Amino acid sequence: MRAKKFFLHRPRDLAEAIALKAEHGDAATFHAGGTELLVALKAHVLRYEHVIDIKQIPGLKGVRVKDDGAISIGSLTTHDSIANDPIVRASLPGYAELSENVANIRVRMAGTLGGVLCFAEPHADAPTMLCALDAWVVLAGPSGDRELPCRDFHLGEFATARGDDELLTAIEIAPQSAGTRSAYRAFGHTERPAVGVAAAWSTDNPQRLSLWAGAISACPTRLARAEEAAAALADDLSAEAVWKRLRPAVAADAEDIDAHDDLHGGADYKRHLVSVLAERALKACLP
């Protein structure tokens, strides 16, 4: 099917984009990479009279290190650009690896990080990893900028905490210590993950694990029991010993996830995948 006709706007800066959204209200939407939005428009799942193309707004693409050491990723940066960016590859190799394997080459070349976060389709890779990395988003609106942790950004399927009049401008990640390693492991029968698990393990004092499961439910889910169990472990255990002690906690966390049967698999199957993928992600973080 073809999308119904709409007016296409190409603002030159953030202020103009925000003003256009205010002018047209619910009849307008922002357009970034388009890999999700255009499909929905063509399928007549969504209908907008005005589409505001923000791809030419300066300052929304690329990766940079801020003065405080935080890594800032522009919301219009594509998955392919993130995968090959020298800053990301040096500081966040686990996230670079994730970006290398998003969907397919077309999506990686055109799809943007900001686009996938704002569309909030549950079966996505990036949100889970960003939660594990304690990342936050920067939103710009008529009242100025505000920051929000990624773990609070997704509210449900296709629902986020972004105000209707706001634009996501950047995703930021605090400097990673030398003792921190992160990894993401996913599995699915299609180009979308049925389940994905992200781990960030810090050997600093005190040692800390951040472990999240995604795609299995409407929003990324923290595996809190496993994180608490990890904090009590000795710091000289082998990867196999660590997993042996964390396996029961991960299984208990997985059992509590509100999973549903769908085309990606049965609920029990997906809960089982959480344990399988958590083991792989954790072992990738440990020496």
Side-chain angles (χ1 to χ4, degrees), residues 54-99:
I54 62 173
K55 292 195 291 295
Q56 302 308 314
I57 294 178
L60 298 184
K61 295 179 182 177
V63 181
R64 66 185 181 92
V65 179
K66 299 176 65 179
D67 292 341
D68 61 2
I71 296 172
S72 180
I73 305 174
S75 59
L76 296 187
T77 310
T78 65
H79 304 296
D80 181 72
S81 295
I82 294 171
N84 292 288
D85 185 272
I87 295 172
V88 178
R89 295 188 74 85
S91 301
L92 302 166
Y95 188 62
E97 181 183 4
L98 178 156
S99 299

Side-chain angles (χ1 to χ4, degrees), residues 32-43:
T35 58
E36 304 275 17
L37 176 64
L38 294 180
V39 172
L41 290 175
K42 289 178 180 178

